[in-house]
Amino acid sequence: MRPKKVILCVDDNEQELSVLSFMLATNGYRVVSATNGQEAIRIFSGMPVDLVLADFSMPQMNGDQLVDRLKRIGSHVPMILLGDPQKMAGEIHAADALLAKKNCSAQELLERIKVMSARKRGPRKGAQRMSSITELAAAS
């Protein structure tokens, strides 16, 4: 039996978070939840995560700011922002995908998660190669 993919779900609305967690868990995912950005960063830094699903509209640190910080820790982990398309439009986001929270069906979300979590294969080879080139340059 394959190990379950770990999804970090971040939403300040605990009711929406629990519905999302239940839906993912019943579809075979291991869900770790956080209700704010600081908690999500702590979890993300302390355990391997296969995918991050974050709400765009949160107090203190919005989903976009959270994804930006998480990408600095683990750029190879796919991240999806859920929110209002009008609020997210016109900006460049660090997330790998943007989905409309209200219009996105459970089936559509599950399909996107399945595709994006299948792509994750660990840190990108180019990122490792670039660090070794930098080390070689510093050594010479």
Side-chain angles (χ1 to χ4, degrees):
M1 191 170 147
R2 292 186 326 209
K4 292 181 179 183
K5 298 273 184 182
V6 178
I7 298 179
L8 172 59
C9 293
V10 190
D11 196 329
D12 60 312
N13 183 324
E14 291 188 28
Q15 185 177 7
E16 288 184 17
L17 187 60
S18 108
V19 168
L20 187 60
S21 297
F22 177 77
M23 189 251 318
L24 292 170
T26 56
N27 281 280
Y29 294 99
R30 182 169 164 235
V31 181
V32 183
S33 301
T35 56
N36 62 58
Q38 293 302 327
E39 185 182 359
I41 291 169
R42 188 175 40 74
I43 292 168
F44 190 82
S45 299
M47 67 180 296
V49 171
D50 296 298
L51 186 130
V52 175
L53 200 54
D55 181 28
F56 180 78
S57 299
M58 294 188 290
Q60 284 93 38
M61 181 188 310
N62 72 27
D64 198 39
Q65 294 165 328
L66 172 64
V67 166
D68 189 50
R69 290 187 187 180
L70 294 180
K71 282 289 188 182
R72 290 186 214 153
I73 300 167
S75 62
H76 61 283
V77 177
M79 299 185 194
I80 301 173
L81 267 178
L82 294 170
D84 180 357
Q86 273 84 29
K87 290 182 182 175
M88 295 189 295
E91 297 178 35
I92 296 173
H93 302 282
D96 299 291
L98 305 173
L99 293 176
K101 193 172 193 174
K102 301 293 180 203
N103 301 346
C104 184
S105 70
Q107 197 58 40
E108 183 183 353
L109 179 60
L110 285 169
E111 190 59 36
R112 182 63 66 103
I113 289 170
K114 183 179 174 184
V115 168
M116 291 184 75
S117 64
R119 281 191 216 152
K120 181 190 175 282
R121 300 281 186 249
R124 292 188 180 123
K125 291 178 185 171
Q128 292 172 333
R129 189 169 52 238
M130 287 303 289
S131 62
S132 61
I133 290 171
T134 308
E135 289 167 12
L136 287 173
S140 56

